[in-house]
Amino acid sequence: MDRQKFQQGLKDGLPICLGYFPVSFAYGMSVVLSGMPAWAAVLISLTNLTSAGQFAGSSLMLAGGSYLEIAVTTVVINIRYFLMSLAMSQKTDKKMTWIQRLLVSFGITDEIFAVSMQAEEKLTASYMAGLILTPVIGWSGGTLAGGILTSFLPTILANALNIALYGMFIAIIVPPARKKKPVLFTVLFAVLLSCCFAYFPVFSSLSGGWGIIIITIVVSAVAALLFPVEEEEANE
């Protein structure tokens, strides 16, 4: 292992680690309050490393969803990682073995992808190991801290903090929705369909998992048709 490359990866991954900690803290707190053991939440974080898919999958697990629902939901939500992997494969060092490539593919997230694609040199196994390690520590460590802290908090305070997760998602969505019409349309359309699935009797036979799958596919398809990416924007 190239120690210098590994240390550089650790350094580049530190901001991601710090950013992941509060999000995973909210995740650990949320699922433990819903009845999941803290060790199970940490195990999920260690083996998934994906925020949206992990939140959705855990919600389905706690709601008693089927294995098929959980599998399809997580694939639909995380399908973007296939494209990221293809893009990163063009920048990886040719000396990287297929086993190392498989290990690197496990650690691909939006933030890790963004940092790795900005690297001027080829992506080596040593650099990617460091770049992935620190976010994994931040993500799983935050989950552990949130899960453990929940058990020490008074019930009324723990229930109040449980809404932090929803506040976090709102804080993420609102700024880009105010600046870009496609994002605003996508958010409002998703909210509308979610309300339809929740309150219209015709959709009562569908479980929450299949509702997420259908809403994700329909909203993504409609948004892609109405707001195609212009060639100039794609090349930026």
Side-chain angles (χ1 to χ4, degrees):
M1 175 178 287
D2 188 330
R3 186 174 180 179
Q4 184 177 0
K5 293 287 186 181
F6 178 72
Q7 291 177 341
Q8 183 62 44
L10 291 174
K11 180 180 178 181
D12 292 346
L14 183 58
I16 303 175
C17 170
L18 298 176
Y20 278 179
F21 191 89
V23 180
S24 59
F25 185 94
Y27 166 76
M29 181 175 291
S30 175
V31 295
V32 170
L33 285 173
S34 299
M36 182 180 291
W39 66 265
V42 175
L43 182 60
I44 291 175
S45 289
L46 281 172
T47 55
N48 284 268
L49 197 64
T50 165
S51 56
Q54 192 168 315
F55 280 114
S58 298
S59 298
L60 290 176
M61 291 172 61
L62 293 168
S66 66
Y67 290 127
L68 182 60
E69 283 181 90
I70 297 172
V72 175
T73 299
T74 52
V75 168
V76 170
I77 292 176
N78 296 326
I79 200 168
R80 66 188 185 279
Y81 295 129
F82 287 107
L83 301 177
M84 295 182 188
S85 298
L86 289 174
M88 285 183 61
S89 67
Q90 308 303 310
K91 289 199 64 176
T92 55
D93 188 357
K94 294 182 179 179
K95 296 180 181 179
M96 191 182 295
T97 65
W98 67 272
I99 295 179
Q100 291 172 333
R101 290 175 182 267
L102 288 177
L103 293 174
V104 168
S105 67
F106 160 77
I108 296 177
T109 66
D110 301 285
E111 295 78 15
I112 291 174
F113 170 77
V115 172
S116 61
M117 292 303 290
Q118 292 177 11
E120 298 180 357
E121 301 178 353
K122 288 287 186 178
L123 302 174
T124 64
S126 298
Y127 174 77
M128 292 305 300
L131 181 61
I132 293 172
L133 179 59
T134 38
V136 169
I137 293 174
W139 186 252
S140 56
T143 302
L144 178 62
I148 292 177
L149 182 61
T150 300
S151 60
F152 293 100
L153 292 176
T155 303
I156 187 172
L157 180 58
N159 292 333
L161 289 174
N162 196 28
I163 66 173
L165 179 62
Y166 303 100
M168 178 195 69
F169 280 122
I170 293 174
I172 293 174
I173 290 173
V174 170
R178 293 178 61 184
K179 296 178 181 180
K180 298 182 180 180
K181 290 183 179 179
V183 177
L184 178 61
F185 169 82
T186 302
V187 171
L188 294 178
F189 190 30
V191 170
L192 176 62
L193 288 185
S194 297
C195 291
C196 292
F197 273 78
Y199 299 110
F200 285 13
V202 68
F203 298 115
S204 60
S205 60
L206 290 173
S207 63
W210 291 113
I212 293 174
I213 295 168
I214 294 173
I215 292 171
T216 302
I217 294 175
V218 171
V219 172
S220 300
V222 173
L225 290 173
L226 295 180
F227 303 99
V229 178
E230 299 294 338
E231 185 175 354
E232 294 182 357
E233 295 179 353
N235 293 330
E236 290 182 354

